[in-house]
Amino acid sequence: MAQDENDKDGRDLEAALLAGGPQPVARYTLDVPTGRWWWSDELFEMHGFAPHEVVPTTQLMLAHKHPEDVARVAGVLADVTRTGDPFSCTHRIVDATGRTRILGVVGQGDVDPATGEVTQVAGYFMDLTDSQEALAQAHASRAVSASAARRATIEQAKGALMVVYGLDDDEAFEVLRHHSSVTNEPVRELAARLLASLAGGTDGSSLTREDLDHFFEVPRPPTRTSQAG
């Protein structure tokens, strides 16, 4: 499970970095035997502090983690101080001003060859807040565009039914809904298949009742899955 979470963090971090734009970078080291942290000025700023305004400690760092992420981050820290293995982690913090930020952190430990103990952990923090927000906005825009395209397909199919059958908007949609239940396919897929099968355009200007009657009488073509079965 820990490996799966680490892999997911790595993919999240990679996606955020590939989203474009500069990501502020900060450095850190943790002296494992003493528990002492060193933060670069940028890491203080990421946490909402002026440089050296506070003494960085593990308790302070974990106190600023988002409540839903703190246990996972504590587990990552425990693993790297025990094994020294390289890691990556994407998580949220609530900085000293109350702002929620999204940070990515990478690092690894130094292992004393004589004792096998991890002596130091070092790496980088990256503030991914702007990149993640841009990535989320891009995903949302694509989802809206896809939804609009599906809606347009249904509206065109309804328009053909309204012109040829003389139906109103609700009646045309009910015809599509009924036949989608008969063929066991989503309305948008039925609408797309209807538009693809009709000759003479999709506005109904050269369609006939026979064209539509024929489409609705013909069973839905079998899918690859059903053919394989």
Side-chain angles (χ1 to χ4, degrees):
M1 180 64 70
Q3 183 61 47
D4 290 341
E5 291 179 350
N6 198 29
D7 290 343
K8 181 181 183 301
D9 282 328
R11 291 193 297 271
D12 290 345
L13 183 56
E14 181 181 12
L17 294 174
L18 292 176
Q23 288 88 20
V25 176
R27 292 175 295 129
Y28 72 90
T29 60
L30 168 62
D31 184 79
V32 175
T34 66
R36 293 176 181 170
W37 289 81
W38 174 86
W39 286 4
S40 69
D41 290 352
E42 296 85 359
L43 192 50
F44 284 96
E45 292 167 1
M46 287 181 189
H47 284 78
F49 298 110
H52 311 292
E53 179 182 353
V54 295
V55 176
T57 64
T58 299
Q59 291 75 16
L60 176 72
M61 183 193 70
L62 292 177
H64 282 278
K65 302 308 178 189
H66 189 282
E68 294 179 3
D69 294 347
V70 63
R72 179 166 57 88
V73 175
V76 170
L77 179 61
D79 286 343
V80 69
T81 56
R82 178 175 53 85
T83 68
D85 292 341
F87 73 93
S88 63
C89 177
T90 303
H91 61 278
R92 294 162 293 176
I93 69 167
V94 180
D95 71 17
T97 70
R99 180 189 179 191
T100 298
R101 297 175 183 255
I102 302 170
L103 302 185
V105 57
V106 296
Q108 67 180 63
D110 293 333
V111 179
D112 185 333
T115 65
E117 300 292 327
V118 178
T119 59
Q120 178 179 273
V121 176
Y124 298 89
F125 275 88
M126 288 148 281
D127 189 340
L128 306 175
T129 307
D130 292 341
S131 295
Q132 285 281 36
E133 289 176 353
L135 189 62
Q137 183 60 43
H139 285 319
S141 296
R142 286 195 292 271
V144 169
S145 296
S147 177
R150 291 193 295 268
R151 189 73 233 171
T153 299
I154 294 173
E155 291 301 319
Q156 291 180 59
K158 281 166 52 180
L161 297 179
M162 292 166 68
V163 169
V164 177
Y165 284 155
L167 305 174
D168 63 24
D169 185 274
D170 291 340
E171 290 170 335
F173 183 77
E174 182 59 27
V175 171
L176 292 175
R177 190 202 62 77
H178 169 72
H179 284 284
S180 75
S181 67
V182 171
T183 59
N184 193 28
E185 62 186 316
V187 171
R188 66 178 180 275
E189 292 183 10
L190 174 71
R193 192 161 57 83
L194 170 60
L195 296 180
S197 72
L198 298 179
T202 60
D203 60 358
S205 58
S206 58
L207 300 177
T208 67
R209 178 179 290 269
E210 288 74 21
D211 292 327
L212 294 179
D213 288 346
H214 176 71
F215 174 82
F216 289 122
E217 288 174 358
V218 175
R220 176 188 179 191
T223 63
R224 292 181 179 179
T225 301
S226 62
Q227 288 175 331

